[in-house]
Amino acid sequence: MPTPQPFSSEHGLHSLPPYFHGFALMHIAMRRDAARLRAAAPTWNGAGGDWWQRLREVIEWHHTSEDDVLWPGLRRKDADFDAQARELHDDHEELDAAMHAVSTAIARRGDGLPHAAQTFEAVLHDHLRDEERIVFPVFDRLGERAYLAEERKVVSSAPMRVMTHLQPWMFDGAPRQSVAHVSATIPPPVRLIGATLLQRRYERTLKGILK
């Protein structure tokens, strides 16, 4: 009998139930942007500063909302999750340190940025791999209805600056089917603003990072 493949977004979304896709698209977007930063770092000219600040804010909100909202919700529903949540919190502190190093290099006009960007990408990849190994089976055990109830609490915790960036950032380069599935969970007026006004604002931030 073949061994079941672990849930992971690292090589796409095919292994994941559709209700995981909103969470997974954020992880995919983080990996995508870590690669963009690494590519831009050797010739950094400062034009991507706003792009990096937006990315850092989204990642900081993502893991703060996990520590403060999602993990407590999962603890209440899954007794096996408690010790694992503490391990993930330590990972978040390492990721914060890596992002601080990137911001410091950017403030120095790119001095040291190639190394800081490579370290950030490596720390991020390791953290997301470990996080998915731990939490995706918990999502699966919860089932769609219970998980999405927790996810709505996470999204509602986003500050306005993150909320106005989140939809176009997540959907950048995402598969059409996944975009459609996640879009169906977003209220229509918010979805429309995200696909128009906020999309154009997001595209302007990319001009500083894409060559």
Side-chain angles (χ1 to χ4, degrees):
M1 188 173 181
T3 303
Q5 293 299 305
F7 293 128
S8 173
S9 71
E10 195 160 6
H11 302 293
L13 295 162
H14 57 276
S15 70
L16 304 178
Y19 70 89
F20 287 26
H21 285 197
F23 189 91
L25 285 178
M26 286 191 271
H27 283 190
I28 290 170
M30 290 177 201
R31 294 190 195 97
R32 176 202 67 216
D33 282 358
R36 285 174 172 169
L37 177 66
R38 172 176 43 79
T43 56
W44 187 265
N45 62 11
D50 183 54
W51 171 87
W52 164 252
Q53 185 59 32
R54 290 278 189 166
L55 175 61
R56 182 175 180 177
E57 288 170 0
V58 169
I59 294 175
E60 287 176 336
W61 162 74
H62 179 73
H63 66 233
T64 299
S65 69
E66 288 173 339
D67 289 336
D68 295 347
V69 181
L70 185 56
W71 298 169
L74 297 184
R75 282 190 182 101
R76 288 191 292 270
K77 293 180 168 63
D78 194 300
D80 294 335
F81 180 65
D82 188 57
Q84 296 169 317
R86 287 195 290 273
E87 175 187 338
L88 293 176
H89 177 74
D90 292 342
D91 279 4
H92 287 168
E93 292 183 345
E94 184 180 10
L95 183 56
D96 280 338
M99 290 193 294
H100 177 73
V102 170
S103 293
T104 298
I106 287 173
R108 294 173 177 165
R109 301 186 178 183
D111 181 32
L113 185 56
H115 176 71
Q118 289 174 0
T119 300
F120 165 67
E121 184 175 33
V123 169
L124 179 72
H125 272 258
D126 288 349
H127 167 62
L128 297 182
R129 182 196 61 228
D130 292 344
E131 182 171 283
E132 292 183 356
R133 172 179 54 81
I134 291 169
V135 304
F136 279 170
V138 181
F139 295 173
D140 187 51
R141 291 195 296 271
L142 285 182
E144 181 172 2
R145 184 174 178 180
Y147 169 69
L148 289 179
E150 298 301 325
E151 185 179 84
R152 283 191 289 272
K153 297 174 190 175
V154 170
V155 173
S156 68
S157 75
M160 184 58 65
R161 185 170 159 87
V162 168
M163 187 70 79
T164 56
H165 190 69
L166 197 58
Q167 182 178 321
W169 173 78
M170 286 172 58
F171 290 168
D172 181 1
R176 185 177 300 177
Q177 271 191 315
S178 294
V179 170
H181 182 81
V182 176
S183 292
T185 70
I186 301 172
V190 178
R191 188 165 66 232
L192 177 61
I193 293 170
T196 53
L197 174 64
L198 300 183
Q199 177 66 31
R200 291 191 292 272
R201 182 185 298 174
Y202 171 74
E203 289 170 357
R204 287 195 295 272
T205 70
L206 289 179
K207 290 180 181 178
I209 194 72
L210 297 182
K211 305 300 182 184

